[in-house]
Amino acid sequence: MTLAAAIVLIAFATALSPAALGGGRVSGTLLRPDLVDLRPKGLTLDIRHSGTRRLRFSTFTVNIGAGPMELRSRQLDCDGNGDTSDDRTAVQHTYLDANTDGVFERGTDTASTAHVAGCFAFDAKHGHWHFGDFSMFALLDPGTGDVVAQHRKVGFCLIDDGPTDPNLPGAPSGPFYDSCALDATQGISIGWTDVYPAWLPSQWINVTDVQPGRFCLAVTVDPANRLRESNDSNNTTFRLIRIARSKVVDVAPTC
């Protein structure tokens, strides 16, 4: 390895070190988030003039963990194109329980660990910055579990849209994460939900070639397992539906 190459590698490693990312050498119990998707609602069949049929639905991602899901933005090249203006590196910060009471308190539990979780990129259709690969939508055969159709790895802006379980320990009384702007800190507070309505871009699965019948609609948060949570086994929610030529019908709340 040349001296110049070694210097580049050292610089890159330093830029991604916990201290440089805003974390540090800390010890104690981590107050990890736990993201789950509530069952999708507002299912409709969007039939276009071209004949394209899209299954649309609203998604609801709630944090039921002991700590917030927090993603901070760093101006580091994330997509490898050498340009630091068209993307941002997303760094997940997980807070530590300073007073060992098991409850997140923003003014008390200030130390955190830092973990590079992925990339932020500007979504022109939504008009704001998204964290990539946050969700995945799939239509499954309820008998075999085979994928019939899917919309892979959808980007979201993580914000507090509304409280779902305000009685969870550490849940704030109001929204804390409320911006999708460049370099904003995104996240979902304890007991709060990030809502993506059915009418928004990318809230669909293309079912043009899907024959009428019963299917299992699966919504998965963090499909690439890039985020650190207390529980990764509850990241997918299911709903049994029936698709006809011109409409979609709810059959059961699970498959």
Side-chain angles (χ1 to χ4, degrees), residues 60-188:
F60 308 82
T61 306
V62 59
N63 179 10
I64 62 171
M69 171 58 69
E70 182 171 294
L71 297 176
R72 300 182 193 177
S73 173
R74 292 300 305 272
Q75 191 171 354
L76 298 169
D77 183 28
C78 195
D79 58 12
N81 68 352
D83 185 358
T84 60
S85 66
D86 64 349
D87 61 359
R88 292 290 189 272
T89 294
V91 181
Q92 179 184 352
H93 280 256
T94 305
Y95 290 91
L96 286 98
D97 191 4
N99 56 4
T100 67
D101 64 352
V103 178
F104 175 69
E105 300 167 271
R106 190 164 291 278
T108 301
D109 304 317
T110 56
S112 64
T113 62
H115 159 67
V116 175
C119 299
F120 288 116
F122 185 77
D123 188 296
K125 292 182 179 179
H126 283 237
H128 54 232
W129 286 74
H130 277 183
F131 172 68
D133 300 347
F134 183 70
S135 192
M136 184 170 68
F137 312 141
L139 204 62
L140 311 177
D141 183 311
T144 66
D146 293 339
V147 176
V148 177
Q150 64 181 341
H151 195 157
R152 298 177 60 86
K153 298 181 180 179
V154 182
F156 277 23
C157 166
L158 279 64
I159 60 172
D160 292 331
D161 278 316
T164 296
D165 193 347
N167 294 319
L168 280 178
S173 58
F176 184 82
Y177 305 101
D178 59 3
S179 177
C180 303
L182 173 65
D183 295 331
T185 297
Q186 296 188 17
I188 305 176

Side-chain angles (χ1 to χ4, degrees), residues 38-47 53-60 137-140 196-199 203-205 207 213-219 237-244 246-255:
L38 305 181
R39 288 190 294 272
K41 298 180 180 179
L43 281 75
T44 60
L45 204 57
D46 178 13
I47 303 175
R53 299 159 67 238
R54 290 176 174 175
L55 172 64
R56 288 188 169 274
F57 44 86
S58 299
T59 56
F60 308 82
F137 312 141
L139 204 62
L140 311 177
Y196 264 71
W199 53 266
Q203 286 296 118
W204 49 263
I205 299 174
V207 294
R214 289 191 175 194
F215 302 94
C216 189
L217 174 61
V219 176
T237 187
F238 302 95
R239 188 161 195 161
L240 187 63
I241 63 173
R242 180 170 60 84
I243 296 179
S246 59
K247 65 179 181 179
V248 56
V249 179
D250 275 315
V251 176
T254 189
C255 296

